[in-house]
Structure formats: structure tokens, C-alpha cells
Amino acid sequence: MKKLFTSESVCSGHPDKVCDQISDAVLDAILAQDPIARVACEVCANTDFILIMGEVTTSSDIDVEKIARDKVKEIGYTDKSTGFSFDTATVLVRLGKQSADIAMGVDASMESKAGGDVADEIGAGDQGIMFGYACRETDELMPLPIMLSHKMCAKLEEVRKQGVLKYLRPDGKGQVTVEYDGKKPIRIETVVLSTQHDATVTTEQLREDIKKYVIDPIMPTELIDNDTKYFINPTGRFEIGGPAGDSGLTGRKIVVDTYGGRCPHGGGAFSGKDPTKVDRSATYMARYICKNLVASGLCDEVQVQLAYAIGVAKPVSVMVDSYGTSKLSNEQLADIVVKEFDLRPYAIIEKLSLRKPIYAKTASYGHFGNPDFSWEKTDMVNDLKKYL
């Protein structure tokens, strides 16, 4: 009996991803001037319109409208005839200050009020649950379907920006279905890719080109067979795209951002949030924990759940599930996590260097699996091997 799993990714020109990238570009610009700023920046976009809203408490002085226009230009929306362009879009900025009630809990945690140490100074910026995950399916210790989907969509953008296929436009999305034998990927069942294009290309030519220049260079040949199915622009034409074709919103692609549906998602989005928001920082920490647990050999697959209360530094719960791939019990693994990893927001921020303007790069093709990100390091492996 076939066991199939599918994950999707989207290109940087997808309307929701446009918004994520603007949100994180604003965040980075603020953090570059003011590393302790509080930022919750959200964006929505529609036909030639961008609204930037949220709560920001900062000493920085930035040109938010220019940042948004520059990002849209970088993505590739430069033709006003498409209905959305960096130079013609109306940009409306509505940024206020962080709520004093929220700031009160972040500025001084419950533990710091009781005389805790320096790492207790920052309380969690909100309540919530965060998940991390790692497995041995890829070199990145990520699930194969989401990594193939990301790489395929990134290749599509590369081909567009390098001018290999001049008729391509920025919007696009893809997905990959992988067949498993137990936990082992054995073949690729289906590849789906839809890309925006101009009026000059026929559907037949586009399908041939995308297969040759985008899909074939990415898909592992050993997992492709005669029964692998390809759906390239299955509806036919895709000329109207980006925010002109469908409104965009920050934080609407959270499964694309994480593990492609392989593990639960706590519900909180990442883009536009400074690291005092545990939606972001604790999810990064959960991935860091999982990757180091797998890399150390303590398990072959693992999921970690962290939960926080607003204004409280320490998590209210830590759960580990190794899916039966560890010689240690889940309870023992959870005890190791609590002992070896400081899960207070201040400590997470320091450990992963999260006060830096590093976030714009996370807003396309996933927050996990990129070796450039600090939470992808496996520098805790030696500390964990003593538990083998």
C-alpha cells in the first residue's frame, strides 16, 4: 500500500510572500539601528496597493515606504502593466507603539520580579505553543518533500532573474509528493509547479521549458520513474498573478515556512516579529534542539513542543516525541532538553544571536534547512553525545 506525503512551497513573488518579505525587511532596518526594538509589523497587498501596519517601539528612524518599494522591486514587480509595481503602488503606513500591557510583561518577567538572574529579565511576549522537528531524510535534517519544493521554487526564481526564461513573472508555487516505504523515501509520485508568465509564451513551450530548466535539475533522478506525474501550469494560462491576482497577507504561509505539514504548527507566524515574540524565537530554538538531538545520534526523528505564558520567562511545558527512534524514553529526552538548553527568551536571543538584522533572508523558501541560519547549527552535538 502506498504511503504518500506532499508539501508545497511558493516563490518570492507569491502575494503572501511579498508581504512576509516586506515585514521582515522593515524589521531588519529597525534592528540595524535599534537592536532592542519591539516590532510587530504586518503587511497586506492588493492591486497596486500596500498597507503596512502594526506596533513598533523603537529609537530608529527609517523610511518604511522606501523599504517596501525597494523590496517589491528586488522581488521583480517592475512592470506597471501587470497591476502591481514598486513605483506605482500606493503605500500606506500605519505603525503604532507596542501595547503598554504587553510591554510590561516583556520588560520584566515574573521571575525577575522575584529576584531571578539576568536571563529572567525578558518575559515571553505572548502565550502560545511552538514546535520543532528534525529527521534524517535529507542532509539538512529536514523532510524531503518540503526541501524539494523549496529548491524547485528557488530554481524557478533563479531561472527568471538570470533571464534564462525571459517570459517568466515573479508569482509561482510548487509542490512535491513523495512515496515512502515506512519512513524511507523511495520515489517521487507527483511534481506540481505553476508559474506566472507574460503573453508571449505558449502553454506547451512553457511546460517544456519548466521541465527542462527548473524541475529536472532539482529532482533526484534515483527517485524519478516512468510513473512520476508532472503538472506544470495545470490550468493553462497564468498571466495575472502576484497581489494583482490575489491579495497577500503576512503570516499566511506558515506551513511553507516550517516543515511542510510534517509536524504540527503552534499557529503563530514569524515574519515582522522581533525575537521577544516567542512565536518566532522559541520556534527557532525548538528546531535548534531537534536538529542537535538528531545530529548527535540520540534519535533519528524528533518533535519538540514548547509552551509559554505571557510575561513568564521559563516555558510552562516541554514535550519531546522521538517517534520510537531513540533508545531513551520521551521523558528522558525532555529532561535532557531542559538540562542542556536554556529556554528563557533572553537566553534564546543570546544563544542564537537574534538581535541582528538577519530576518529578510528567512521570508522566502523556509525558515529551516538553510545552513546560514544560527538555529541550524549543530554545535551542541558533543554536549549531547554523553547521553548515548
Side-chain angles (χ1 to χ4, degrees):
M1 179 174 152
K2 286 185 178 181
K3 178 183 176 184
L4 304 175
F5 193 87
T6 304
S7 294
E8 77 156 343
S9 182
V10 298
C11 294
S12 68
H14 184 280
D16 295 327
K17 276 291 148 204
V18 170
C19 295
D20 285 342
Q21 290 167 91
I22 295 172
S23 292
D24 274 336
V26 171
L27 172 64
D28 277 357
I30 291 171
L31 292 179
Q33 296 183 23
D34 180 11
I36 61 171
R38 300 285 166 74
V39 182
C41 176
E42 306 204 31
V43 176
C44 63
N46 205 334
T47 303
D48 244 9
F49 176 76
I50 301 169
L51 170 62
I52 303 169
M53 56 190 172
E55 299 79 43
V56 175
T57 303
T58 180
S59 61
S60 65
D61 183 15
I62 64 169
D63 187 338
V64 175
E65 179 178 338
K66 183 178 186 304
I67 290 166
R69 292 191 188 279
D70 287 349
K71 179 54 67 175
V72 172
K73 182 179 181 181
E74 177 190 321
I75 292 167
Y77 286 107
T78 58
D79 182 355
K80 63 182 181 181
S81 70
T82 65
F84 185 78
S85 180
F86 79 100
D87 54 347
T88 58
T90 299
V91 179
L92 185 62
V93 180
R94 291 291 183 269
L95 292 171
K97 288 189 175 182
Q98 184 181 57
S99 158
D101 292 344
I102 295 174
M104 179 173 58
V106 179
D107 293 338
S109 72
M110 183 183 73
E111 292 95 333
S112 69
K113 294 170 185 175
D117 63 25
V118 65
D120 286 321
E121 289 182 359
I122 297 177
D126 201 353
Q127 70 177 46
I129 55 175
M130 300 86 207
F131 289 91
Y133 179 83
C135 65
R136 294 195 182 278
E137 287 181 25
T138 62
D139 292 340
E140 298 90 352
L141 303 185
M142 286 282 289
L144 181 61
I146 188 65
M147 290 308 298
L148 290 178
S149 296
H150 284 327
K151 290 176 180 179
M152 180 173 64
C153 288
K155 185 66 174 179
L156 178 61
E157 179 168 2
E158 176 187 307
V159 166
R160 172 176 62 86
K161 288 191 170 182
Q162 289 182 352
V164 176
L165 301 177
K166 297 183 184 300
Y167 56 77
L168 293 177
R169 287 176 175 169
D171 199 357
K173 63 193 327 184
Q175 66 182 37
V176 178
T177 301
V178 175
E179 181 180 348
Y180 288 81
D181 180 5
K183 292 183 177 292
K184 181 182 178 182
I186 58 172
R187 57 181 296 274
I188 293 171
E189 171 75 11
T190 307
V191 178
V192 181
L193 188 60
S194 295
T195 178
Q196 186 187 12
H197 57 85
D198 66 24
T200 64
V201 65
T202 65
T203 300
E204 292 71 25
Q205 184 64 53
L206 180 143
R207 287 172 175 166
E208 180 180 329
D209 289 345
I210 294 299
K211 176 76 163 50
K212 177 180 178 180
Y213 292 105
V214 179
I215 295 175
D216 288 348
I218 295 300
M219 296 301 143
T221 55
E222 69 274 15
L223 297 181
I224 297 291
D225 60 27
N226 292 332
D227 293 324
T228 299
K229 304 175 189 67
Y230 299 93
F231 296 98
I232 301 170
N233 278 33
T235 61
R237 308 301 290 173
F238 183 7
E239 295 179 40
I240 302 170
D246 189 11
S247 60
L249 184 66
T250 296
R252 199 153 55 182
K253 285 296 176 190
I254 55 177
V255 174
V256 170
D257 287 342
T258 52
Y259 305 100
R262 180 60 64 85
C263 81
H265 192 293
F270 306 145
S271 291
K273 295 180 180 177
D274 76 83
T276 66
K277 279 73 170 175
V278 284
D279 279 340
R280 182 168 218 162
S281 55
T283 304
Y284 290 173
M285 190 62 172
R287 164 62 178 172
Y288 176 69
I289 292 167
C290 289
K291 191 169 183 182
N292 277 273
L293 287 173
V294 171
S296 69
L298 283 174
C299 48
D300 292 328
E301 181 183 14
V302 68
Q303 172 188 300
V304 167
Q305 184 205 56
L306 306 176
Y308 289 84
I310 188 169
V312 180
K314 292 182 179 178
V316 297
S317 74
V318 177
M319 183 279 293
V320 178
D321 185 354
S322 70
Y323 304 94
T325 66
S326 176
K327 293 180 180 179
L328 301 177
S329 69
N330 290 333
E331 292 75 16
Q332 288 174 310
L333 289 171
D335 289 341
I336 291 170
V337 168
V338 171
K339 183 177 180 179
E340 296 293 336
F341 297 88
D342 193 333
L343 301 175
R344 294 172 290 180
Y346 178 93
I348 293 172
I349 290 168
E350 293 300 308
K351 178 70 175 178
L352 301 181
S353 301
L354 299 180
R355 295 283 192 194
K356 300 176 181 179
I358 58 174
Y359 297 103
K361 195 172 182 178
T362 69
S364 298
Y365 311 117
H367 293 244
F368 308 117
N370 187 327
D372 293 340
F373 301 153
S374 60
W375 48 93
E376 293 294 317
K377 294 179 180 178
T378 53
D379 53 359
M380 289 290 290
V381 165
N382 289 335
D383 294 306
L384 296 173
K385 281 187 175 180
K386 65 190 176 200
Y387 297 104
L388 287 171

